[in-house]
Amino acid sequence: MWSLSYLKFIDRGRLLSQGLCSNCITRLRNESFVTQIQSASKPPWRVLFFGSDDFALESLKRLHVSRDDSKAEIIDSLEVVTLSRDTPVRKYAEQNRLPLHQWPDVDFSAQFDVGVVVSFGCLIKENVINKMPHGILNVHPSLLPRWRGPAPVFHTILHGDTVTGVTIMQIRPKRFDVGPILQQELYEIPKNCTADELGATLAVVGSRMLMDTLKHLPERIANRKEQPKEGASFAPKISSRMAWIIWEEHSCDYIDRLFRAIGYRIPLKTMWMGNPIKLLDFVGKCNVLFTASPCLSAVPGSVHYQKESNILLVRCKDGWVGFKAVKFKKRLSASDFFNGYLHQSVLRKSPSSNTCLFQSYKDIRLPGGQDNNMLLQNNTSL
């Protein structure tokens, strides 16, 4: 009997010379036929990887290392699907000469046993999923069904979760993050952890879990579990609108979580004298112990300069928070902002009574104050 793996590598003329008719060759090389017959039942696997950002890159690197490790015997071949824009995954694939496909133009002339999708951002259609005999695995940085969606790490920090984790699941068409769970691992979040720090840690955890799942894939698929209906929540994309602070509504703890969630990418913002101003170098909740000042007030948004620590103090719903710098036309340290705009000599010349006050930009609703059940009901991509 002819070996299909052998047929893959010899040319058409040689097959004809050895007695196979043209129709037989075409039938044997038909993509769907070969995919069904040739699919491996155990490692090493032929993997098609879908990814884009730094979180995805960690899994791609581990797959690549495993492919080149003959002793591991988990990955046989590795090809990459990425987006058209310049992404970390695309750069790595080009630098390491991995076969590269640009979404959505994927060449399936080669056969794959299993797909892996990590932080890809595009729904994969059912006909593509069905080309993989073992489906497509997803590395998701949350304990599903909590925080389905594109920004789970951000919402984990913003909402003050103390425990999170990574889920390895099989994807389903038409809806993000609803497929059966193959493996989950809990991770206790360190105090004062930022979203960037948490994401980097979970990327490493997820890449390790991915390799473990691939090593035991048939067993994991046989024992997969559907996600529970209870406890589902949605993690929408982050945007610059989320950075606006509402001093009357936001607590010190909330502002701290907001900064740790997005502050390293999107500066927190407020309004001052009718103009937007960015708040930089957040130092957290501050104990205010100073004498009376023209700018000292319990009114939310009140600004005071603390000379001893060179910090701008701002009153929020339940206390004071501090910033070491702002960006108003250009970057200004706390002392520069004070000398230029809050010093007594400046205040005497100011016709406005709001010189010492940051105003809230209340036209924007922030996700931290929204009901996640409502988000689930209103989002059709779940």
Side-chain angles (χ1 to χ4, degrees):
M1 181 177 288
W2 289 95
S3 165
L4 290 175
S5 60
Y6 176 66
L7 288 173
K8 181 181 176 182
F9 296 107
I10 55 182
D11 61 35
R12 184 181 182 88
R14 186 175 175 187
L15 291 173
L16 288 169
S17 69
Q18 295 190 26
L20 279 180
C21 67
S22 178
N23 289 338
C24 290
I25 296 169
T26 301
R27 183 172 61 87
L28 285 171
R29 283 180 167 170
N30 178 272
E31 180 180 338
S32 60
F33 181 85
V34 174
T35 299
Q36 293 172 12
I37 303 299
Q38 270 195 293
S39 62
S41 59
K42 61 181 181 179
W45 308 113
R46 294 162 296 185
V47 176
L48 183 61
F49 180 87
F50 301 75
S52 60
D53 62 13
D54 287 318
F55 184 86
L57 182 58
E58 196 66 38
S59 289
L60 177 59
K61 285 180 178 179
R62 194 165 293 217
L63 289 167
H64 185 206
V65 169
S66 179
R67 187 203 67 174
D68 294 342
D69 184 356
S70 58
K71 295 181 181 179
E73 296 186 343
I74 299 177
I75 306 301
D76 178 25
S77 65
L78 177 63
E79 299 191 20
V80 177
V81 180
T82 191
L83 307 174
S84 58
R85 57 182 179 271
D86 197 19
T87 64
V89 164
R90 172 177 283 275
K91 288 180 181 178
Y92 182 87
E94 290 173 344
Q95 290 169 358
N96 292 275
R97 298 182 180 180
L98 295 175
L100 187 62
H101 308 259
Q102 182 173 309
W103 181 260
D105 300 321
V106 182
D107 180 7
F108 286 100
S109 60
Q111 282 73 54
F112 304 100
D113 302 308
V114 62
V116 173
V117 57
V118 187
S119 193
F120 188 55
C122 298
L123 278 172
I124 298 175
K125 293 183 178 180
E126 187 171 10
N127 66 318
V128 175
I129 298 173
N130 291 340
K131 291 181 184 294
M132 316 289 169
H134 299 283
I136 298 180
L137 309 182
N138 173 230
V139 180
H140 188 82
S142 81
L143 296 175
L144 291 172
R146 185 163 176 79
W147 302 135
R148 293 171 175 167
V153 176
F154 161 76
H155 287 276
T156 295
I157 296 297
L158 179 63
H159 288 77
D161 293 3
T162 57
V163 175
T164 185
V166 175
T167 302
I168 308 294
M169 55 164 278
Q170 280 185 316
I171 70 168
R172 285 182 173 161
K174 300 179 182 179
R175 302 170 71 193
F176 283 111
D177 307 327
V178 297
I181 295 170
L182 276 62
Q183 187 177 355
Q184 271 189 333
E185 187 171 306
L186 275 66
Y187 177 76
E188 187 173 343
I189 303 171
K191 188 177 180 181
N192 298 322
C193 183
T194 68
D196 284 356
E197 292 167 344
L198 181 60
T201 299
L202 295 183
V204 175
V205 173
S207 68
R208 173 180 53 78
M209 290 173 60
L210 172 63
M211 299 312 300
D212 183 65
T213 299
L214 288 169
K215 186 177 181 180
H216 305 97
L217 187 56
E219 178 186 349
R220 295 288 163 79
I221 291 176
N223 293 292
R224 63 191 175 184
K225 296 180 180 179
E226 295 297 327
Q227 294 185 32
K229 296 181 180 179
E230 301 77 20
S233 57
F234 182 62
K237 289 181 180 180
I238 65 172
S239 75
S240 60
R241 294 186 307 163
M242 299 175 179
W244 291 101
I245 296 178
I246 302 177
W247 302 107
E248 297 84 356
E249 299 178 11
H250 293 162
S251 66
C252 295
D253 287 343
Y254 176 83
I255 295 171
D256 175 72
R257 297 196 306 269
L258 182 64
F259 176 77
R260 289 188 289 112
I262 68 171
Y264 292 95
R265 299 188 184 192
I266 306 173
L268 303 188
K269 296 183 289 186
T270 189
M271 297 295 291
W272 184 73
M273 300 291 289
N275 297 292
I277 185 170
K278 295 179 180 179
L279 306 170
L280 310 176
D281 302 345
F282 178 69
V283 297
K285 184 176 182 178
C286 298
N287 295 319
V288 177
L289 297 172
F290 46 78
T291 58
S293 164
C295 280
L296 176 56
S297 170
V299 177
S302 297
V303 187
H304 176 80
Y305 174 62
Q306 192 174 66
K307 185 176 181 180
E308 298 79 8
S309 55
N310 192 22
I311 291 173
L312 284 176
L313 300 171
V314 190
R315 177 76 188 187
C316 59
K317 178 182 178 180
D318 62 351
W320 296 80
V321 291
F323 300 88
K324 289 187 175 182
V326 298
K327 187 173 183 180
F328 184 64
K329 299 179 181 178
K330 63 178 181 179
R331 182 184 174 95
L332 299 169
S333 67
S335 60
D336 289 339
F337 185 75
F338 169 73
N339 291 328
Y341 300 101
L342 299 181
H343 192 274
Q344 288 301 303
S345 61
V346 178
L347 295 179
R348 283 194 291 268
K349 300 176 184 177
S350 174
S352 174
S353 60
N354 292 328
T355 306
C356 298
L357 193 69
F358 285 156
Q359 297 92 32
S360 300
Y361 191 50
K362 291 188 177 181
D363 293 338
I364 294 176
R365 290 190 65 193
L366 301 181
Q370 291 179 340
D371 184 344
N372 282 301
N373 291 326
M374 186 63 68
L375 283 167
L376 274 171
Q377 294 170 11
N378 294 339
N379 195 282
T380 57
S381 67
L382 286 176

